[in-house]
Amino acid sequence: MAGEQLRYDGQTVVVTGAGGGLGKAYAVFFASRGANVVVNDLGGSFNGVGGSSSMADQVVKEITQAGGKAVANYDDVVNGESIIKTAIDNFGRIDILINNAGILRDISFKNMKDQDWDLIMKVHVIGAYKCARAAWPHMRKQKYGRVINTSSAAGLFGNFGQCNYSAAKLSQVGFTETLAKEGRKYNILCNVIAPIAGSRLTATVMPPEVLEVLKPDYVVPLVAVLVHPSNDESGAIFEVGGGHVAKMRWERAKGALLRADDSFTPGALLKKWDNVSDFSEPSHPEGPANFMELLEDAQKLPKNPPSEDISFKDRVVLITGGGAGLGRIYCLQFAKYGAKVVVNDLADPEPAVQEIKKSGGEAFGVKASAEEGDAVVKAIIDKYGRIDVIVNNAGILRDKSFQNMDDNLFNTVFNVHLRGTYKISKAAWPYMLKQKYGRIVNTTSTSGIYGNFGQANYAAAKCGILGFSRALAREGQKYNIYVNTIAPNAGTNMTRSIMPEEMVQAFKPDYVAPIVLLMCSDKMPQPATGRLFESGSGWAAETRWQRTGGALFNADASMTPEAVKSKWNAIVDFDDGRADHPESSQEAQNKIMANLVKKEKASKKSSGEDGKQYLEAIEKAKQAKAEGSEFAYDERDVILYNLGVGAKRKDLPLVFENDEKFQVLPTFGVIPPFNAVAPFSMADLVPNFNPMMLLHGEQYLEIRSSPIPTEAVLETFPKLVEVVDKGNAGIIVTGQTTKDKKTGKELFYNESTVFIRGAGGFGGAKKGADRGAASRVFNPPKRQPDMVVEEKTTEEQACVYRLSGDRNPLHVDPEFSKVGGFEVPILHGLCFFGIAGKHVYQNYGMFRNIKVRFAGTVLPGQTLATEMWKEGNVVILQVKVLDTGKLCISGAGAELVDGGNSKL
């Protein structure tokens, strides 16, 4: 019965990265349902730096004090054997493994370093492999096991600035699908989730108000169902977060079939391109197409009619693994169509080079591993001065059942395929950016997309290549660099180990080459980037994601494992008419955002006992003490902030660290608290909390010590100041004290007031307390302003300002801003607050404090006018958007230091 509580008594659960966020939520939940829990956490920062035992210890303490059973483990996830040994030594078994540990190293591909790539792979991919590999023999022996691996929307769809993370996260899909195929006969079920939850990772890229409702608690119930003995689902992909749960699967177009002979050319395929992406009769495969049947059908077709040729004249084309098999055919075909071909192969590229030259083509060879990308590309630039096309084709197989897989087999395959693809692309990227032209085709496989027995290493690498390609496509598109992915089926030396010889002979590489050449040409039909195609035997078809309509839950305590189980049919039903095909992280999150709006509209009793609940939560929150959140900054961060609020190149004290008056603008004081962890959750303080209904109403900043250092390590301690009940809305005021960590001296005090529509009526205080300057409303005098300063913001203002910490996509991503109701991304409120503060400071001198009320939005590129009146020791101000005539800041004032003559 779905209504019965799901229990895990006597089972042992290992959770990696369990010191906080989602991992902690898993650990606490399973302990509360009777499981023994191994709480693993290295205790490093979100970007993988450092280590500490305190995080894991704290979670264990919380569990044991509540009567549960838990032990801590402090190993890095690459020491998976030690983590699983902790489970065996303490509890005698391992039943459930949740590979949750993760870090972020977000950076544009142009600026990515190998360490940014390798560290992400180490934690997300190698760590998951090592833990699963160590647990596998125990699970096989007991004929029971449940494994959850963690992907993400960035993996499924690719994200700008996350080529490393997207690659690692999609690799988990191929890895999991393979484990599911190998584990089924031993009752080891393996699934992968793409969660959206608030954590140390997402805190850097999501606004605090959204994080409030993306609680890890809303992911746990799905995982609880998937790892329960009653579950039979395996090899599946689920998207989950914010009260929304849906299943994902691959959907394949019917595709185009042409006669498989020498008349099958890129031009012939171009004529039938509409069929390649025709999803009117889709299939939903779990493995490769029936290529033998396709080949038989292709040979029954008439010769393909003559068609327009494509040309690669003067294009420099690099083929990795070009010495034999598919790579050799690619080389010959590109040369045939006029390209200057670079044959890269670790074995011997010369036979292919000579073959091209004998046919009148131009080619030269580079003997090197694809992992030596820098050397390969340097050789090309030295000879030709440019590189236009890359086909990342090099690969090896080292197939082995997961039970017998060793680190060398896993790492070697993973590095040749995925790291080699990264290294070649990375080395060529600067040249493609400079010439504003590039075409890259990366090679995945059906083993990567669907998983394949004995290929956990290969599947992880190949699916990772797809995640990498999708992220890279997003970064390259504006520079006319297109990136696509092919899953080829061809008989080669590599496939001889797994195919009968007659199939190797029949599945000619020649029948894959046309789509690869077409993708690299300038005739590739739009959209020309970020796509996945399967091809072989004269057939080519596009493959994409399909997502169920899923189930929506009120994102609150009613979302339990039992509730999820009760809606299971809706979660996994692809045929009820609600399924869709998301192509980006933003589209994936639309349903979550819709759930937040739905939650706000839902009627919820908020008086009587419920009201008492909120009043008690408010009092408890007021007593809660923050641990303190660290914020380190240096001169670079100071300059970035000053530029973000409009400093110009002639303002040397604001933009040049060697200027004798180099200084921090006082409004920088709002930056250190931005990602500080509060000791309470806003969602607990008012009913119907919904970030879509939240407005940043007022901001107060007090400078408690000056001069403000231009580099320091600070700590911020948030606290709840008050909650006001306005009937149809709730108001929450949060205070943040920021101290110099070294001296303990207080530098800043902030108060942020947020207004949440639909979150009142709980019986709270109707009016806020008088908090002096922090709550004062300043009314402009009835005379012309004493001073007006106009400043035009730039189109890039939000892009620069967000580098100071507020990574809310509302300010940069048009798709996300549309979800929020804005046609284009808007400027951060604290950015134009900073511009207004700069105007006060530059014209009246240093201020002790500043208080503003936000009255409207500003679009990047609009012109602001700060109107100021000096009344004694106070400057009263308001800010207008000249383009619209509307106020964006009202009721504002700044109290000057020493009458306003003091500078920093």
Side-chain angles (χ1 to χ4, degrees), residues 258-266 268-269 295 299 304 324-334 336-337 355 488-492 503-518 535-540:
L258 293 85
R259 183 173 177 84
D261 61 13
D262 57 9
S263 70
F264 179 31
T265 63
L269 182 60
L295 185 61
Q299 304 301 27
N304 303 300
L326 261 176
R328 169 181 163 271
I329 295 300
Y330 293 154
C331 290
L332 295 174
Q333 289 291 314
F334 274 106
K336 176 183 173 183
Y337 289 101
E355 201 172 349
N489 182 75
T492 66
M503 291 177 72
V504 173
Q505 296 294 334
F507 296 148
K508 287 188 176 181
D510 310 59
Y511 307 150
V512 173
I515 190 171
V516 172
L517 269 75
L518 186 55
S535 184
S537 300
W539 168 82

Side-chain angles (χ1 to χ4, degrees), residues 441-470:
V441 171
N442 292 327
T443 308
T444 183
S445 79
T446 51
S447 295
I449 304 169
Y450 309 112
N452 197 24
F453 193 100
Q455 293 191 310
N457 48 2
Y458 186 69
K462 285 302 192 184
C463 216
I465 286 171
L466 177 59
F468 169 64
S469 301
R470 286 180 163 172

Side-chain angles (χ1 to χ4, degrees), residues 673-687:
F674 187 76
N675 284 316
V677 179
F680 59 87
S681 167
M682 287 188 185
D684 295 336
L685 306 181
V686 291

Side-chain angles (χ1 to χ4, degrees), residues 22-307:
L22 189 48
K24 178 183 177 181
Y26 289 141
V28 171
F29 167 81
F30 284 109
S32 75
R33 295 289 181 102
N36 311 310
V37 181
V38 175
V39 179
N40 160 259
D41 203 287
L42 179 63
S45 65
F46 73 86
N47 59 2
V49 177
S52 164
S53 64
S54 61
M55 295 181 72
D57 289 339
Q58 189 60 39
V59 177
V60 169
K61 182 180 178 183
E62 186 175 326
I63 289 171
T64 54
Q65 284 181 343
K69 296 178 182 176
V71 295
N73 173 280
Y74 319 116
D75 280 289
D76 189 314
V77 282
V78 296
N79 299 322
E81 301 94 336
S82 298
I83 297 171
I84 301 304
K85 185 175 185 296
T86 300
I88 302 302
D89 289 350
N90 285 274
F91 303 117
R93 59 186 294 121
I94 163 73
D95 299 279
I96 298 167
L97 169 63
I98 302 176
N99 277 317
N100 167 75
I103 59 169
L104 284 179
R105 295 286 282 245
D106 292 0
I107 191 166
S108 67
F109 192 60
K110 176 181 61 147
N111 296 320
M112 189 171 289
K113 295 181 172 60
D114 287 354
Q115 66 191 52
D116 298 315
W117 177 272
D118 293 336
L119 189 56
I120 289 288
M121 296 305 147
K122 182 186 113 171
V123 174
H124 292 272
V125 181
I126 306 303
Y129 153 72
K130 289 287 283 183
C131 291
R133 179 64 188 84
W136 203 255
H138 302 286
M139 291 179 170
R140 273 191 27 150
K141 187 176 181 182
Q142 66 204 21
K143 288 194 165 45
Y144 184 89
R146 300 289 185 266
V147 178
I148 297 290
N149 290 320
T150 307
S151 184
S152 75
L156 300 182
F157 308 107
N159 254 7
F160 191 99
Q162 293 191 307
C163 284
N164 48 1
Y165 187 69
S166 297
K169 282 307 186 186
L170 198 56
S171 81
Q172 293 306 285
V173 170
F175 179 58
T176 304
E177 289 171 330
T178 296
L179 295 193
K181 286 178 165 65
E182 294 199 31
R184 173 65 84 170
K185 67 184 281 191
Y186 300 101
N187 192 23
I188 306 173
L189 307 187
C190 308
N191 292 286
V192 61
I193 63 165
I196 301 177
S199 68
R200 291 188 301 159
L201 267 61
T202 54
T204 62
V205 292
M206 286 186 178
E209 59 270 21
V210 172
L211 293 175
E212 286 286 348
V213 287
L214 296 182
K215 288 185 177 180
D217 309 54
Y218 310 145
V219 174
V220 172
L222 169 66
V223 172
V225 172
L226 290 174
V227 301
H228 194 263
S230 61
N231 172 53
D232 192 51
E233 191 88 39
S234 192
I237 310 157
F238 292 90
E239 177 187 275
V240 56
H244 172 247
V245 184
K247 187 178 179 182
M248 308 281 291
R249 69 176 177 182
W250 294 108
E251 180 169 270
R252 181 194 287 157
K254 185 178 181 180
L257 185 66
L258 293 85
R259 183 173 177 84
D261 61 13
D262 57 9
S263 70
F264 179 31
T265 63
L269 182 60
L270 184 59
K271 277 190 172 179
K272 288 201 168 186
W273 187 260
D274 287 349
N275 294 345
V276 172
S277 299
D278 181 358
F279 285 94
S280 61
E281 297 177 50
S283 59
H284 300 97
E286 295 181 1
N290 186 336
F291 282 101
M292 188 55 79
E293 185 178 299
L294 284 167
L295 185 61
E296 289 171 357
D297 290 345
Q299 304 301 27
K300 295 172 187 173
L301 296 172
K303 272 195 172 293
N304 303 300
S307 55

